[in-house]
Structure formats: C-alpha cells, structure tokens
Amino acid sequence: MKKTKPLYEGKAKVLWETDSAGHMVQEFKNDATAFDGTKHEVVQGKGSFNNRISSHLFRLLAKAGVRTHFVEEISDTEMIVERLDMLKVEVVVRNIAAGSMVRRLGVEEGRKFDPPIVEFYLKDDDLHDPILAEEHVRALELATPDQIETMKRSALTVNDVLGGFLKEKGIDLVDFKLEFGTKDEELVLGDEISPDTCRFHDSKTGRIMDKDRFRQDLGGFMEAYGEVLDRVSS
Ligand code: TMP
Ligand code: ASP
C-alpha cells in the first residue's frame, strides 16, 4: 500500500489517502498541543511513542473482540487504518476524577467512580469541545440511538480490557477519550489510544505518566511516554 496525498492534518496526526480506497495511513507527528492548540511544542520522539503505544493497545483490544480501525504498524510513526466516516463526538470514560471534571463540577481530584462515568463531547475546537447530554447527541443527530448505546457499551469494554491490562503493568487508567466512525454502517473504534488521549498514573506512586506532564509543565514528558511504551510492550 502506498501513501498518495494527505487528506486531513490535525494537531497531532496526519491522515493520508492510499492507493487502497478502504485504507489510510495514520501518521503521528511530534507536535504536542494543549488547551485547544494555544500551547504548542515540537517534541522529538513523541510521534513514535504514540504510534507504538497505540498499535499495542489496538492489538490488545482486537484480541479482546473490540472492532477497531487498526490494520498494521508500518513504520516508527505510521500505521495503516481502515477508512471511516467519523462521528463528531468524543466519548470519555472516567474511573477517577481529574481534569475538566474537577474544574467543572468541583469534584475532589482522585475520587473513584464505580461504575465508571461515560460522557459525550462535541468535537469542535472553535466551541472548545463542549460536553453533551445524550439527548443532545440524539437531537443534533450526531449519532443514532443505536450508535449511542453501542459506543457506551464499547467504551466500557475498552475500559475493562485496557484497565485490567494496565493494572498488571502498574498503571492506573484514570480516564480516556475515544472516537468512533462508521464503515458500511458498522460502528468502528478509530483515532488513537495513547498518553495524549488517556490519563495514566503509576499505581504505586501516583506519578503522572501522560500528557498532563506537558499541560502542567511538570517536566519529564517524553521519559514518561517512554516508560508507558516499555511497560505496555513488556
Ligand atoms: P478532560 O479531563 O480534559 O475532559 O479529559 C478527559 C480525557 O480525555 C483525558 O484522558 C484526556 C482526553 N482528551 C483528549 O484526548 N482530547 C481532548 O481534546 C480532551 C479535552 C480530552
Ligand atoms: N484540549 C486538549 C488538551 O488540553 C487537546 C488540545 O487542545 O490540543 O489536551
């Protein structure tokens, strides 16, 4: 399969058309962004870490029966994925209170949720990805009622599979974001699963091992991504 032209460039990835109509190349860039792109740095090695971590986690999910767009890792920074029509919603699962939930609701950071919380957000940077009630997702026709149920079920399965796997590697899965798309009417998990899109905390020490190190200027940003890769691939 050969890359032909870039179809879509986001903040952290480029999606390339290929000579196969049903496939794309997803290339991970070295750009780190936060706060809707207002904080931006180029960080050597980041694209490779995210491609390799994402590939591992997609393979793990496929083995557990989750339908994902991942086909094959083809280079340090690239994977082949199936071409999807993406829904304009982001699905977030929270096991432990952090980030926007703490800011928005004044919840105590670190509070545990069992069962976990599943939330929907509108994928729109200009509007700063606002949170949506399920009724909004339905009324704005961002997803059908069936798709909403399938996304919730799938997100909780991903949480069980990833959470269990990471726990064995000494990592607590605090929260994460998923994006889904459709292929021939079937709902498929797309995008990436990496320390950019998840919160990972060391189970023993609570040390932050994800993009919060960049968001909060904590230092040791790439060292943490390297350690996540070492642990998930060991
Ligand atoms: P939040 O606490 O900022 O709402 O983030 C929840 C989770 O979703 C966290 O693991 C980071 C991830 N996330 C993204 O991947 N992209 C985004 O644009 C946002 C807002 C969050
Ligand atoms: N809003 C997300 C974050 O704070 C992503 C971004 O704005 O680039 O990480």
Side-chain angles (χ1 to χ4, degrees):
M1 203 173 303
K2 262 188 25 211
K3 286 195 293 192
T4 48
K5 64 171 198 271
L7 189 72
Y8 169 79
E9 176 153 6
K11 288 177 292 216
K13 296 190 291 292
V14 186
L15 280 169
W16 294 81
E17 270 187 347
T18 68
D19 51 6
S20 158
H23 295 94
M24 318 251 278
V25 167
Q26 177 160 265
E27 179 189 356
F28 290 77
K29 305 195 293 183
N30 283 334
D31 299 64
T33 68
F35 315 120
D36 298 325
T38 54
K39 182 174 166 75
H40 176 226
E41 271 171 41
V42 176
V43 188
Q44 282 311 313
K46 176 169 173 288
S48 165
F49 284 134
N50 279 352
N51 182 47
R52 293 161 70 190
I53 294 166
S54 244
S55 295
H56 271 288
L57 298 181
F58 276 133
R59 279 191 292 263
L60 177 80
L61 291 174
K63 271 193 209 136
V66 178
R67 177 79 172 88
T68 86
H69 71 157
F70 177 80
V71 178
E72 193 187 355
E73 197 177 342
I74 53 164
S75 78
D76 221 29
T77 57
E78 297 165 307
M79 57 170 70
I80 295 176
V81 297
E82 290 179 68
R83 188 167 183 159
L84 307 180
D85 284 324
M86 298 307 290
L87 303 186
K88 289 198 170 49
V89 290
E90 300 185 343
V91 182
V92 168
V93 178
R94 298 182 190 271
N95 295 302
I96 300 173
S100 70
M101 186 178 186
V102 169
R103 287 195 300 275
R104 193 172 47 244
L105 300 181
V107 185
E108 183 195 350
E109 184 145 19
R111 178 167 166 179
K112 294 198 168 83
F113 303 114
D114 190 11
I117 302 171
V118 182
E119 300 170 335
F120 294 96
Y121 290 82
L122 180 66
K123 203 172 152 51
D124 187 328
D125 272 353
D126 292 339
L127 296 176
H128 312 294
D129 294 351
I131 193 166
L132 299 165
E134 235 178 85
E135 285 75 7
H136 294 128
V137 181
R138 255 192 293 276
L140 303 180
E141 298 180 340
L142 299 166
T144 66
D146 268 2
Q147 288 172 334
I148 293 172
E149 289 313 311
T150 308
M151 285 192 284
K152 282 175 21 186
R153 208 173 47 239
S154 175
L156 289 172
T157 302
V158 170
N159 190 45
D160 285 345
V161 175
L162 282 190
F165 170 78
L166 291 167
K167 191 85 208 162
E168 284 175 18
K169 310 288 179 183
I171 295 174
D172 288 342
L173 180 58
V174 174
D175 58 28
F176 59 93
K177 183 262 304 180
L178 303 176
E179 296 185 26
F180 293 86
T182 57
K183 178 164 186 165
D184 305 328
E185 318 257 302
E186 188 188 8
L187 201 70
V188 181
L189 178 61
D191 198 52
E192 66 179 284
I193 306 177
S194 73
D196 271 18
T197 61
C198 304
R199 285 195 172 92
F200 296 140
H201 290 181
D202 182 86
S203 305
K204 277 212 194 89
T205 63
R207 186 165 47 94
I208 294 170
M209 303 175 72
D210 56 61
K211 200 167 93 172
D212 274 347
R213 299 208 74 83
F214 171 75
R215 295 189 189 98
Q216 299 172 25
D217 291 317
L218 298 176
F221 177 36
M222 277 310 98
E223 288 80 357
Y225 280 44
E227 192 171 336
V228 170
L229 175 63
D230 286 348
R231 290 203 204 177
V232 302
S233 52
S234 70

